[in-house]
Amino acid sequence: MTPAPGIRLDAPAPGWAIDADVVVVGSGVAGLTAALRCAAAGLSTVVVTKARLDDGSTRWAQGGIAAALGEGDSPEQHLADTLVAGAGLCDEEAVRLLVTEGPGAVRRLIATGAHFDTSPETGEIELTREGGHHRRRIAHAGGDATGAEISRALVDAVRTAGLRTIENALVLDLLTDTGGRTAGISLHVMGEGQHDGVGAVHAPAVVLATGGMGQIFSATTNPAVSTGDGVALALRAGAEVSDLEFVQFHPTVLFLGAGSEGQQPLVSEAVRGEGAHLVDASGTRFMLGQHELAELAPRDIVAKAIMRRMREQGADHMYLDARHFGAEMWEHRFPTILAACRVHGIDPVTEPIPVAPAAHYASGGVRTDSYGRTTVPGLYACGEVACTGVHGANRLASNSLLEGLVFAERIAASIAASVAASIATGAPPAADEPVAPPAPTVLPLIDPGARARIQRVMSLGAGVLRSAESLREAARALDAIRAEAGAGSAPGPYAGTSSDTSSGTDPDTVSGTVKPAVPGVDAWETTNLLCVARVLTAAALEREETRGCHWREDRPDRDDRAWHRHLVIRLAPDRALVVHRTESTAFPPTSSREHQP
């Protein structure tokens, strides 16, 4: 296992500290489920979240949560659909855990207080269909407000349980003890709550549930808080990340005009699941003949078909036609989407909805095993920030909420077992005093003004359509931004083979002419964005094929002989990127030293 390289953000030393058994960073379905299960096991648990408890990506999930709950469905069928969507890169054992434990996890979520839509005739949960699913297995709430209901139920449960929470807090870096094991986090509380400024939570177990990184692109369905903080923290701490090149672009995002930036309204896949059609400006359905499931093909296939049609016709968007639903169905089944469209001057009851793909979900992230353990002892990850192997090269619709539930529960079981084993042997989980990494490299901060530049660079060079030329240009532009901050420039193209290869000489030896930004939330977020953008670009350039949601125009075919495997990336102590190609679709173990439940 690689020791932590000792890289941290430029930030003041913690001015206050609290102690816990577990600190969970993030308050979506993954974070709050992990926190509730840890607390139920008797562990002192603290939840840290960047905004309010209900402000994460979970709240924005419209479609629902997938599980084999319906008559005639089975985990095996759910497994088959997930593997097909993942384009050959799913970890089959991880998927099997997901689909087998998923129905029970959903029932426990209902017992926690979540209310799903039910049939007025039978009282059973209503199930719908989305892209890539051959069965109706998507449970939803409030029509198209599933995430909001799940978030409400979990937040209420956390408050009822009296868990300690720190809101409006940006996580900064991992703390380790003198043996290199996790010992907590540093964080900055943004002036609201019991604490203020930079502080620390000391804990022998840290669970990253920080969500996605969609804000590295100009247009995304992700909320403003999704700046890749968890992935960047893990990289600085020496953890491995994988599959970052597989960013899912949701096919049907409300088109707000050329050049629209920031969070864009999502038009859920469930709309197509209920029978909406994708059409061009002339009203022609162009998904017929493209795939056996037409508009319900996996998301990468639909997004590519939309982009091809746009290029053929010189258009900047297509249309989703659901006028045949009628007003009553729109108002009952999709009230949130209906309202969002009308706010922007579109009435889906009487006209087709203009749509185009936008960045939506990171299939990769911090590499974990089946219990959420990363390559850093005591550091766990779950939800969108993690790479469990479940999604492969393309996430199956509505598997994300289920993944958060299932793996959060497994993390809590692992932490509880580890604590129990430590008590039994008389050795505390973390024997040494929490300290910052020894002789840390202080990372120069990126000026917040560069955020929009990073997003434009990534949208242009590493968006839905990619090529070696576009990715190399993106890498050069990102290096230039680093150099301007005095962080140095990376040396040329990123190389990587089946064995470890560094990207070259020390990227910090070349000084820029612009003074680094001063410490603060905007600068820390922008620095995280740049870090994640560089790694994603390196991975996308390295993978010379088209697979799942990674679309290389210059390498249009899937190449199983060379690329039926994963890319694993870490930061070396000198901050060079080290890229490793696995021997197969199976990930190597994260560690052999952790206690197994």
Side-chain angles (χ1 to χ4, degrees):
M1 193 167 61
T2 305
I7 302 168
R8 65 174 176 83
L9 292 171
D10 184 3
W16 53 270
I18 61 175
D19 295 318
D21 295 325
V22 184
V23 55
V24 177
V25 187
S27 61
V29 62
L32 295 188
T33 299
L36 286 166
R37 297 296 181 267
C38 284
L43 302 175
S44 170
T45 304
V46 173
V47 177
V48 173
T49 188
K50 197 171 180 181
R52 297 188 310 273
L53 279 180
D54 63 351
D55 263 352
S57 293
T58 292
R59 182 165 65 92
W60 298 95
Q62 295 174 344
I65 185 167
L69 298 167
E71 184 177 353
D73 199 2
S74 69
E76 284 298 321
Q77 294 176 69
H78 192 181
L79 171 78
D81 286 345
T82 301
L83 295 179
V84 169
L89 280 191
C90 295
D91 180 323
E92 185 168 340
E93 183 55 36
V95 178
R96 194 172 297 279
L97 288 172
L98 178 80
V99 300
T100 302
E101 298 180 10
V106 172
R107 293 185 183 100
R108 286 186 289 277
L109 177 63
I110 293 170
T112 301
H115 301 291
F116 291 95
D117 295 340
T118 56
S119 166
E121 291 82 19
T122 67
E124 297 293 323
I125 294 176
E126 286 185 331
L127 300 173
T128 189
R129 239 180 109 194
E130 292 183 4
H133 293 272
H134 283 78
R135 290 277 187 179
R136 296 180 75 89
R137 65 169 64 99
I138 315 300
H140 53 84
D144 58 357
T146 310
E149 170 57 18
I150 290 174
S151 181
R152 179 208 62 76
L154 291 173
V155 168
D156 285 353
V158 164
R159 288 175 174 155
T160 299
L163 269 66
R164 186 165 190 172
T165 61
I166 303 176
E167 297 180 287
N168 302 296
L170 172 66
V171 65
L172 299 177
D173 282 303
L174 190 73
L175 300 177
T176 60
D177 62 25
T178 54
R181 184 185 169 89
T182 294
I185 57 166
S186 59
L187 68 161
H188 175 81
V189 181
M190 293 171 263
E192 299 179 30
Q194 184 177 354
H195 301 287
D196 195 3
V198 175
V201 180
H202 296 159
V206 171
V207 181
L208 294 179
T210 51
M213 53 187 187
Q215 288 292 325
I216 63 173
F217 296 98
S218 295
T220 177
T221 63
N222 289 192
V225 295
S226 298
T227 51
D229 307 318
V231 171
L233 174 150
L235 282 164
R236 291 193 297 271
E240 294 178 349
V241 302
S242 187
D243 295 354
L244 285 197
E245 66 269 35
F246 298 115
V247 176
Q248 188 175 82
F249 287 78
H250 199 288
T252 53
V253 176
L254 183 62
F255 181 72
L256 300 181
S260 296
E261 298 182 344
Q263 186 178 9
Q264 313 285 299
L266 178 68
V267 181
S268 170
E269 198 144 331
V271 178
R272 281 176 280 138
E274 296 291 356
H277 302 145
L278 280 165
V279 299
D280 59 20
S282 67
T284 301
R285 287 182 66 184
F286 54 87
M287 283 304 300
L288 295 175
Q290 297 271 350
H291 189 275
E292 60 164 333
L293 296 176
E295 281 89 355
L296 287 178
R299 287 178 178 176
D300 62 310
I301 293 172
V302 178
K304 290 171 186 175
I306 291 174
M307 293 297 295
R308 288 193 188 100
R309 196 71 162 193
M310 285 164 53
R311 288 201 299 181
E312 289 169 2
Q313 300 187 346
D316 51 15
H317 65 280
M318 289 287 111
Y319 294 91
L320 187 65
D321 191 352
R323 290 174 290 179
H324 54 285
F325 285 4
E328 184 178 352
M329 181 174 174
W330 267 110
E331 291 165 2
H332 171 71
R333 180 68 179 85
F334 301 111
T336 307
I337 298 170
L338 177 64
C341 288
R342 285 176 170 171
V343 162
H344 293 284
I346 305 296
D347 188 350
V349 177
T350 60
E351 59 188 316
I353 306 169
V355 294
H360 181 57
Y361 189 87
S363 292
V366 185
R367 188 169 80 80
T368 74
D369 66 6
S370 62
Y371 285 97
R373 295 177 294 228
T374 74
T375 50
V376 175
L379 179 64
Y380 299 76
C382 61
E384 191 173 354
V385 71
C387 179
T388 62
V390 160
H391 304 307
N394 180 50
R395 175 176 68 92
L396 181 66
S398 287
N399 268 358
S400 53
L401 292 175
L402 190 71
E403 182 197 29
L405 275 180
V406 168
F407 285 89
E409 292 187 341
R410 295 180 70 82
I411 283 174
S414 177
I415 294 174
S418 179
V419 170
S422 298
I423 293 173
T425 59
D432 300 308
E433 185 68 20
V435 294
T441 298
V442 178
L443 189 63
L445 301 178
I446 306 301
D447 190 292
R451 179 168 177 157
R453 287 172 59 194
I454 295 168
Q455 293 168 330
R456 285 193 292 269
V457 164
M458 293 301 290
S459 291
L460 184 63
V464 180
L465 300 178
R466 304 166 176 176
S467 67
E469 181 181 359
S470 76
L471 291 165
R472 288 194 182 104
E473 181 55 38
R476 284 192 289 268
L478 296 174
D479 289 343
I481 294 171
R482 294 179 72 237
E484 290 171 7
S489 58
Y494 296 99
T497 64
S498 59
S499 59
D500 280 2
T501 57
S502 168
S503 61
T505 59
D506 181 359
D508 288 320
T509 57
V510 182
S511 296
T513 58
V514 179
K515 184 178 179 180
V518 298
V521 171
D522 290 342
W524 290 321
E525 282 189 334
T526 305
T527 303
N528 287 339
L529 281 174
L530 182 61
C531 172
V532 175
R534 288 186 61 238
V535 177
L536 188 158
T537 302
L541 184 55
E542 179 72 12
R543 183 173 288 278
E544 296 181 331
E545 66 161 354
T546 290
R547 182 186 296 270
C549 52
H550 172 63
W551 187 4
R552 284 281 297 261
E553 290 185 281
D554 56 330
R555 302 280 185 170
D557 298 320
R558 175 168 153 176
D559 183 358
D560 279 342
R561 184 190 62 80
W563 288 106
H564 196 217
R565 57 198 69 195
H566 302 275
L567 289 173
V568 176
I569 301 180
R570 60 181 175 84
L571 281 182
D574 63 1
R575 292 186 51 238
L577 298 181
V578 179
V579 182
H580 172 71
R581 194 186 303 185
T582 64
E583 295 300 321
S584 69
T585 56
F587 282 117
T590 56
S591 172
S592 61
R593 298 189 300 172
E594 294 286 347
H595 180 78
Q596 291 283 350

